[in-house]
Amino acid sequence: MYLHGTSKINEQGHLVIGGCDTTELAAQFGTPLYIVDEALVRQRAREYVESFRASGLKFQVAYASKAFSVMAMCAIAEQEDLSLDVVSDGELYTALKAGFPAARIHFHGNNKTPEEINMALDANIGCFVVDNFNELYLLNALAGDKGKKVNILLRITPGVEAHTHDYISTGQTDSKFGFDVGNGTAYKAIQEASAQPNLELLGVHSHIGSQIFEVEGFVMAVDRVAGFAVQVRDELNILFRVINLGGGFGIRYVEGDTPLPISQYVKAITDSIKSNFSAAGYPLPEIWVEPGRSMVGDAGTTLYTVGTSKDIPGVRKYIAVDGGMTDNPRPALYESRYEAILANRANDPVEENVTVAGKCCESGDKLIIDIELPKANNGDLLAVFCTGAYNYAMASNYNRIRRPAVVFVKDGAADVAVKRESLDDIVGNDLIPARMQQASAAK
Ligand code: LLP
């Protein structure tokens, strides 16, 4: 059994996270429940910040809030001196509501609407990561309307494809994101960007994928970006002050996943920056990164109650839990794998191989295919590990299932950061048009 962060098993065989017995958390807050190990989140944030500090380069570590955007998480990011990457008005609003300093917010996205751009301009965010020509001209115009000059990075695709699941690769040429270096689009974008009066071009951004275990992809991206920077300096006399290398640093979901310590990713990137830029006699740029998954992923655990089971002799046994693809769509979307234990009987010996199914009306709603567990009974608690990133963030109300609560635990304290949705929340935005009400009344 691999336990992350502050997780441990107490003498009663209960899983304890952040000093809180998960059986008590289940009783107090109900299930399904997202539990966040606050100390582990802060530890990850500090690993990034300290590794960059050790490099001697100027830096910003921008938490990619898409992984888990809630106000409490923005508050932690602020306290840990992180910057914040947002990709929609909703994430921007969450950050601003949490009091996150706008100057440390970076706005991403391949189709920012005029309303979103205006909202970000009004908030005076620190930087826009411009994705395409439409956005470049629109942002220049909207900034001009407000009499502002705004910092931008250009998102470029350096043609590096990291080893990862197809659906989450973004660095290769065939991508909906960014300006391609290989076909000259990025070069043209630099020329255009530097000609816009209301835009201040700080540099470029590159993100090569997600859940990456090797440094090679990042080093290759740095080589390409540095080569491009030198070409732009030599031919256009433009210097990049900032290089943003995106996120993508992998985490351990299951045995066999072999992520590197954060310090090693950072060292590989910063060493490569230093050697490439020094060799070209180029002033060392500031380095920004945008980790999402590796900041919060292993700090999250989802607690479920086991309900029914179905044994199909010679085929498989299903046990069903009170959540599923609504709170964790990743197995259905990406065939992602997870580890789990019975949180109330963690010391019991493993007895059978089961498949953990969710409660959605869909055959594909399986959270874990083939896991060894003690014989689970109705009412047992199942803890699924490593659900901190892209679980709550991607949760839905499919089947009108309510989204679970999120609880942050630390040193024996458990605090609700997001309330469980109520049935009234489920219908809260519904309206029955008057003509339908009249038709009902007339029957
Ligand atoms: N920066 C940019 C521009 C990105 O597109 C992403 C992730 C990140 C940073 C953060 O990457 P991370 O450090 O979390 O790997 N829903 C998928 C992941 C999609 C990632 C999209 N972009 C999943 O559940 O695996």
Side-chain angles (χ1 to χ4, degrees):
M1 183 190 322
Y2 186 95
L3 295 172
H4 302 262
T6 67
S7 296
K8 56 181 194 202
I9 309 300
N10 70 10
E11 44 301 336
Q12 293 139 286
H14 296 175
L15 172 65
V16 175
I17 310 174
C20 298
D21 185 325
T22 53
T23 65
E24 287 167 22
L25 295 178
Q28 189 178 353
F29 302 106
T31 60
L33 182 68
Y34 295 112
I35 303 167
V36 180
D37 182 349
E38 183 181 333
L40 187 53
V41 174
R42 292 185 187 274
Q43 181 188 322
R44 295 288 178 242
R46 288 169 199 179
E47 284 177 57
Y48 274 106
V49 170
E50 280 157 22
S51 305
F52 271 101
R53 235 175 239 146
S55 78
L57 294 175
K58 286 197 178 150
F59 66 93
Q60 282 191 41
V61 176
Y63 165 58
S65 68
K66 77 200 75 177
F68 177 52
S69 168
V70 301
M71 284 167 56
M73 186 55 214
C74 294
I76 289 178
E78 198 285 312
Q79 289 158 18
E80 297 297 333
D81 295 327
L82 305 179
S83 298
L84 204 71
D85 149 9
V86 301
V87 296
S88 71
D89 52 3
E91 287 184 0
L92 175 58
Y93 191 74
T94 304
L96 295 173
K97 273 276 176 188
F100 197 90
R104 295 196 333 243
I105 296 178
H106 312 156
F107 196 1
H108 262 285
N110 67 309
N111 189 20
K112 302 178 187 79
T113 64
E115 293 75 23
E116 286 175 319
I117 292 176
N118 276 326
M119 178 180 169
L121 286 169
D122 289 339
N124 293 317
I125 66 158
C127 187
F128 289 79
V129 185
V130 175
D131 192 275
N132 51 65
F133 288 108
N134 306 94
E135 182 190 341
L136 190 73
Y137 303 129
L138 178 64
L139 178 59
N140 182 61
L142 295 177
D145 289 347
K146 295 181 187 292
K148 294 188 172 178
K149 182 158 187 167
V150 293
N151 291 331
I152 65 162
L153 296 178
L154 293 183
R155 179 163 182 172
I156 62 171
T157 42
V160 177
E161 188 174 351
H163 295 180
T164 183
H165 197 291
D166 268 358
Y167 295 121
I168 50 182
S169 298
T170 50
Q172 75 278 23
T173 298
D174 182 5
S175 165
K176 75 166 180 169
F177 295 109
F179 301 98
D180 191 39
V181 175
N183 68 11
T185 314
Y187 189 87
K188 174 99 177 39
I190 298 286
Q191 289 175 301
E192 286 297 299
S194 54
Q196 307 302 312
N198 308 316
L199 306 181
E200 179 72 28
L201 177 65
L202 299 184
V204 291
H205 169 284
S206 137
H207 172 80
I208 60 168
S210 201
Q211 183 61 353
I212 300 168
F213 292 148
E214 312 95 28
V215 296
E216 285 76 12
F218 294 106
V219 171
M220 204 184 292
V222 171
D223 287 350
R224 301 264 178 96
V225 170
F228 181 60
V230 170
Q231 183 196 2
V232 166
R233 176 195 62 182
D234 294 348
E235 296 173 14
L236 301 175
N237 199 24
I238 294 170
L239 282 179
F240 297 156
R241 278 171 280 158
V242 174
I243 306 288
N244 185 329
L245 290 161
F249 315 99
I251 65 168
R252 183 202 180 282
Y253 283 100
V254 293
E255 200 173 350
D257 287 345
T258 51
L260 297 168
I262 285 166
S263 57
Q264 279 193 38
Y265 288 111
V266 174
K267 182 153 178 22
I269 288 173
T270 50
D271 282 354
S272 173
I273 288 281
K274 286 179 197 165
S275 61
N276 271 286
F277 283 86
S278 306
Y282 199 110
L284 287 179
E286 194 169 315
I287 304 306
W288 297 2
V289 287
E290 299 165 336
R293 189 190 314 274
S294 53
M295 200 67 88
V296 291
D298 57 0
T301 301
T302 309
L303 200 60
Y304 301 95
T305 302
V306 176
T308 58
S309 62
K310 173 179 176 179
D311 200 354
I312 314 168
V315 180
R316 94 173 43 250
K317 179 174 175 185
Y318 288 97
I319 61 168
V321 295
D322 53 355
M325 64 191 292
T326 40
D327 57 79
N328 183 2
R330 299 190 70 257
L333 270 177
Y334 315 120
E335 298 175 1
S336 308
R337 294 185 306 134
Y338 287 88
E339 289 179 351
I341 60 169
L342 291 187
N344 56 325
R345 293 166 47 206
N347 289 333
D348 286 14
V350 160
E351 284 169 289
E352 57 182 10
N353 180 293
V354 296
T355 286
V356 178
K359 65 184 263 107
C360 297
C361 285
E362 183 151 332
S363 300
D365 178 23
K366 299 177 194 124
L367 287 175
I368 306 178
I369 296 174
D370 289 331
I371 177 171
E372 305 286 327
L373 286 177
K375 196 168 172 314
N377 302 313
N378 189 310
D380 277 333
L381 295 172
L382 185 83
V384 177
F385 296 121
C386 252
T387 58
Y390 304 111
N391 273 229
Y392 176 77
M394 295 172 76
S396 78
N397 288 123
Y398 182 45
N399 292 169
R400 295 233 129 175
I401 290 171
R402 291 177 277 161
R403 271 183 284 241
V406 179
V407 165
F408 278 65
V409 291
K410 185 166 184 284
D411 301 330
D415 296 287
V416 175
V418 183
K419 291 187 280 189
R420 181 180 308 284
E421 286 176 342
S422 66
L423 289 172
D424 281 329
D425 289 332
I426 290 290
V427 294
N429 289 325
D430 284 21
L431 298 169
I432 300 178
R435 63 192 152 76
M436 294 176 198
Q437 293 181 28
Q438 284 154 13
S440 289
K443 258 181 82 178

